[in-house]
Amino acid sequence: MTNSLISIQIIPKTKNGESVIPYVDEAIRVIQESGVKFEVHPLETTMEGDLQQLLQVITKMNDRMIELGSSNVISQIKVLYQPSGISMDQLTEKYR
């Protein structure tokens, strides 16, 4: 059941101050490979799914940043947990 929405902005510390865009692209690839529903926005990406599953995706994203050479990663997240069920469409349908 989809009981959560999580928006994440991932900010990896790059090796020599280079652009974070390739790292962010890789973080989004981790989300794509997870199979969860998601939307990319200019400053964050929103995922929809089971809370535990989404938290596992965030863990994999952070691990991947370290594998790519980041010494640390800031992950700013917002969580909407609604056990009765929630979707991105429910929250945005009146704007579409």
Side-chain angles (χ1 to χ4, degrees):
M1 169 194 272
T2 299
N3 64 19
S4 298
L5 301 177
I6 292 184
S7 290
I8 181 165
Q9 179 186 38
I10 196 160
I11 308 166
K13 182 173 183 181
T14 58
K15 298 176 204 171
N16 298 307
E18 70 267 22
S19 172
V20 299
I21 298 302
Y23 291 80
V24 172
D25 289 342
E26 187 67 15
I28 292 170
R29 188 183 66 75
V30 170
I31 298 171
Q32 289 171 321
E33 290 178 353
S34 75
V36 301
K37 183 176 178 180
F38 71 98
E39 290 183 6
V40 176
H41 302 278
L43 299 176
E44 63 189 14
T45 299
T46 301
M47 300 182 288
E48 176 181 302
D50 171 73
L51 179 60
Q52 292 305 315
Q53 178 187 24
L54 298 179
L55 292 173
Q56 289 173 353
V57 172
I58 291 171
T59 298
K60 288 179 184 178
M61 292 168 70
N62 280 274
D63 289 345
R64 184 66 182 132
M65 297 301 97
I66 300 303
E67 289 171 6
L68 292 173
S70 295
S71 60
N72 61 56
V73 184
I74 297 171
S75 295
Q76 296 183 9
I77 64 170
K78 292 182 258 184
V79 178
L80 170 57
Y81 176 64
Q82 187 167 307
S84 61
I86 190 64
S87 72
M88 288 184 273
D89 292 337
Q90 285 176 285
L91 294 181
T92 60
E93 65 188 352
K94 71 180 182 181
Y95 301 108
R96 296 183 189 254

